[in-house]
Amino acid sequence: MLGDLWSLQGRYRTLHLTWFAFFLTFVVWFNLAPLATTVKADLGLDLGQIRTVAICNVALTIPARVLIGMLLDKFGPRKTYSAILVFSVIPCLLFASAQDFNQLVVARLLLSIVGAGFVIGIRMVAEWFPPKEIGLAEGIYGGWGNFGSAFSALTLVALAGFLSFSGGFELPTGAILNWRGAIALTGIISAVYGVIYFFNVTDTPPGKAYQKPAKSAGLEVTSMRDFWGLLGMNVPFAAILCVLCWRLQKVGFLNAGTYPLALLAVLVWFGFQTWGIIRTNRDLINGVKQYPKEDRYEFKQVAILELTYIVNFGSELAVVSMLPTFFETTFDLPKATAGILASCFAFVNLVARPGGGLISDKLGSRKNTMAFLTGGLGIGYLIMSMIKPGAFSGSLGITVAVLITMLASFFVQAGEGATFAMVPLVKKRVTGQIAGLVGAYGNVGAVAYLTIFSLLPMWMGGGKDPSAEIIASSNSAFFQILGTAGLIVAFLCFFFLKEPKGSFAEEHADEKALVNA
C-alpha cells in the first residue's frame, strides 16, 4: 500500500481527496485557538468567557456527529461531506463579524457542527480499502486531515497579520491582527472545496454496492442486552449538553428565561434520539426478529471504543484548544511563537495516527495495540503535568517541554488511529452510525475536559482573574486528570475489549455474506 500511495489513482485518489476535506474542516474548526488571546483583547472578554467560547467550539459536534452518522449511512459520504464543507462558510462569516460575547457563542456553536465531518471520511475510506489495510488507510485519513488544527496554529496568526495591511485594527498592546479576515477566509476556502469534492469522488469503487441499513433513525443492535447498553451509553450525550447549558448560564449567555428552554431542548433531543433507537430495533424488542449468530455483533465493543475516543480525541480537542495559551503564559512567549510551539502537538499527527493504524495492521492484535497506546497516552499526560514556570526555563527548558508534548501527542494520535482501525470492522452496514457515536464521545470528552479546565482556577481559589501561580497549578492538575483517565481506559481495553472478526481479511465480513447469499 505504501508503494502505491502516491499513484493518485483509484482508491488512493479518493483517499487523498477525502483527507484534504477533513483537513479543511479542522482548519475551520480550530481557527479560534491561535487567535484566542487576540479576540479576547479586541472584544474585552474575561478569561471565563473566552474559555466558554472554546467549549462551545465542540458542543454541538456531539449531536451533529450522531445525526451525520445517520445521514451518512442513508445518503452516502460524497453528498454528506460536500454539504458540511459548503455549510462551514456560514458560521465562519458570522464569527468574523461578531461584535460581542453572545454573537461569538452563537457563531461558535454553529461552527462546532463542522467538526462532525470526520466521521464521514471513515465510511468513505472503509468503502475503498479492505480490512487488512484499513488501519493505515484510516490513519492516513485521520492523521493528515487532523493536521488542519496544526496548520491553523502555524499560519492563522501570520495570515491575520498579512491581511491587516489591507485594513486591520490596533489592539491595546499595539499589535495589528486582522483576525476577522483570517477566520472568514478559512470558511470561504472550505466551501469552494466542498463543490470540488462533490464532482470528483464516488461513494464506492465501480461495481460495488453501497450498503445501507434498513432503518437509520437509530443504531441497529442484535440483542436485547445490547439494546439496553445502547440506551445507557446515550445518557452521557444529554448529560454533557446539560453541563454546557449550565456553563453558558454561569457566564450570562443564558438567563433565567432561556436556561430552562435550553435544558428542555436537550431533553427533546434525547427523547427524539431514544425514540429513533426504539423504532429501529422494534422487531427485536417485540421478539419478532432474531439475528443469526453470523450477523450479530457486541455493542460492548462500541462502548469501549467510545471510551477510548474520550481519552484520546477528546483530550486532543481540549489540549489543542488550550496549548497555545499554555505555552504563551508558561514561558512568557509572543503569540506567534507560542502558536508554532503548540502546533507540535497536532503536527505529530502526520506520522502518529497513520503509525497507530499501521501498528494495528501489522502487530496481529488490534485489541492489544489499542490498550498499549492508551496506556502510553496516560503516562505521557502525567509527564506533561510537570511542565511549569520555573521547572523548565530558557531555550533548553522549552525544547524539553516541546519534546515531552510531542511524546504524549504520539500516543494520543496513534491511539486515535487504533480506535478507527477497529470501528469499520464492528459492523459494516452501520459503520456510519458507529463512527458517529464513537466520534461524538470524543466531543463528550472534550466538553467535559474543557469544562473542568475552565473551572479549575476557580476551584483553586483564583476567582475570575486568577494569578499566574493559580493558572500554572490548574494546568498541571488538568494534565494529571487526562493522564489518570487514560490509564483507566487502558485497563478496560486490556481486559474487556475483544478482537474484531476478520480483522486482517481481504474483504469485510458483511461483503462476504452478501457474496455467499
Side-chain angles (χ1 to χ4, degrees):
M1 177 180 172
L2 289 173
D4 296 329
L5 183 60
W6 297 109
S7 66
L8 301 181
Q9 300 294 323
R11 58 182 176 171
Y12 300 104
R13 180 173 180 271
T14 299
L15 175 61
H16 288 301
L17 288 169
T18 303
W19 76 251
F20 192 70
F22 177 36
F23 173 89
L24 287 179
T25 63
F26 257 46
V27 170
V28 168
W29 197 18
F30 286 98
N31 59 19
L32 171 64
L35 300 169
T37 54
T38 303
V39 174
K40 176 177 177 288
D42 180 46
L43 297 182
L45 306 178
D46 62 36
L47 182 63
Q49 286 178 318
I50 196 63
R51 288 187 172 183
T52 299
V53 172
I55 295 172
C56 292
N57 198 49
V58 297
L60 292 186
T61 315
I62 297 169
R65 285 193 168 187
V66 176
L67 177 61
I68 283 180
M70 298 175 187
L71 296 175
L72 167 61
D73 284 338
K74 184 174 184 179
F75 296 107
R78 171 174 163 263
K79 292 179 180 177
T80 314
Y81 229 149
S82 299
I84 205 165
L85 285 163
V86 172
F87 164 79
S88 67
V89 72
I90 299 172
C92 279
L93 294 177
L94 287 174
F95 192 86
S97 60
Q99 299 298 320
D100 57 34
F101 171 68
N102 289 348
Q103 292 175 9
L104 288 176
V105 168
V106 171
R108 217 69 217 174
L109 285 171
L110 292 174
L111 265 168
S112 68
I113 297 173
V114 180
F118 166 71
V119 302
I120 305 171
I122 293 298
R123 179 73 193 256
M124 177 67 93
V125 173
E127 291 293 335
W128 284 82
F129 287 85
K132 67 176 183 177
E133 296 178 350
I134 201 72
L136 179 57
E138 296 287 10
I140 289 172
Y141 164 71
W144 294 4
N146 215 334
F147 184 67
S149 60
F151 186 82
S152 286
L154 283 168
T155 63
L156 287 191
V157 172
L159 176 61
F162 173 77
L163 292 175
S164 67
F165 286 108
S166 59
F169 56 87
E170 190 166 351
L171 301 175
T173 58
I176 300 176
L177 287 175
N178 190 343
W179 63 269
R180 298 180 186 276
I183 286 177
L185 187 58
T186 61
I188 293 169
I189 293 172
S190 178
V192 171
Y193 187 75
V195 177
I196 295 172
Y197 188 79
F198 182 82
F199 289 105
N200 284 276
V201 299
T202 58
D203 289 333
T204 61
K208 179 181 175 183
Y210 185 76
Q211 294 183 44
K212 301 179 181 180
K215 298 177 182 178
S216 57
L219 179 65
E220 177 188 10
V221 292
T222 56
S223 72
M224 283 304 300
R225 179 180 179 181
D226 290 343
F227 171 76
W228 292 114
L230 174 58
L231 288 184
M233 289 300 287
N234 274 324
V235 173
F237 292 145
I240 207 67
L241 289 174
C242 288
V243 169
L244 174 65
C245 293
W246 168 78
R247 183 63 184 155
L248 293 176
Q249 181 258 341
K250 282 291 185 181
V251 296
F253 178 74
L254 297 176
N255 56 36
T258 56
Y259 180 50
L261 292 177
L263 293 177
L264 179 61
V266 172
L267 182 62
V268 169
W269 174 79
F270 179 71
F272 173 78
Q273 188 184 19
T274 302
W275 176 239
I277 293 170
I278 294 172
R279 283 171 51 206
T280 298
N281 296 285
R282 182 177 294 163
D283 289 346
L284 175 69
I285 297 169
N286 293 333
V288 175
K289 184 173 185 179
Q290 289 189 342
Y291 289 83
K293 186 176 180 179
E294 64 273 12
D295 197 28
R296 295 177 189 170
Y297 74 96
E298 291 188 69
F299 179 75
K300 178 182 71 173
Q301 297 286 92
V302 180
I304 296 177
L305 291 175
E306 287 172 340
L307 296 180
T308 67
Y309 218 54
I310 283 181
V311 298
N312 52 47
F313 187 65
S315 69
E316 181 198 349
L317 290 181
V319 171
V320 167
S321 296
M322 57 79 73
L323 207 55
T325 304
F326 171 74
F327 276 108
E328 183 180 343
T329 56
T330 301
F331 298 105
D332 193 24
L333 298 171
K335 294 180 184 66
T337 304
I340 292 171
L341 292 179
S343 70
C344 71
F345 192 91
F347 191 90
V348 176
N349 242 321
L350 287 172
V351 294
R353 194 155 182 167
L358 182 61
I359 293 170
S360 184
D361 285 344
K362 300 299 183 183
L363 193 62
S365 172
R366 299 196 187 277
K367 166 198 167 175
N368 290 340
T369 302
M370 187 78 259
F372 168 73
L373 293 174
T374 305
L377 168 160
I379 295 171
Y381 278 135
L382 291 177
I383 296 174
M384 280 188 74
S385 71
M386 302 175 187
I387 303 174
K388 302 176 184 178
F392 294 81
S393 58
S395 299
L396 178 60
I398 294 174
T399 301
V400 172
V402 168
L403 290 176
I404 291 173
T405 301
M406 292 177 72
L407 175 65
S409 178
F410 173 82
F411 285 100
V412 173
Q413 324 291 359
E416 293 166 10
T419 296
F420 276 92
M422 295 184 71
V423 164
L425 302 174
V426 176
K427 195 64 180 172
K428 179 68 181 296
R429 68 173 176 264
V430 289
T431 292
Q433 292 183 69
I434 293 174
L437 291 172
V438 174
Y441 256 86
N443 291 89
V444 168
V447 173
Y449 287 144
L450 285 171
T451 299
I452 292 170
F453 177 67
S454 67
L455 295 175
L456 276 174
M458 184 175 64
W459 290 342
M460 293 181 170
K464 279 192 171 184
D465 194 15
S467 65
E469 291 77 12
I470 290 290
I471 291 177
S473 297
S474 68
N475 288 338
S476 179
F478 180 64
F479 287 122
Q480 289 171 5
I481 291 169
L482 298 181
T484 302
L487 293 178
I488 292 172
V489 175
F491 174 84
L492 295 176
C493 290
F494 269 120
F495 293 101
F496 297 101
L497 188 63
K498 292 184 179 180
E499 189 72 23
K501 299 176 184 177
S503 286
F504 307 98
E506 294 286 344
E507 58 186 352
H508 290 273
D510 286 12
E511 292 168 4
K512 287 182 181 179
L514 285 176
V515 171
N516 293 334

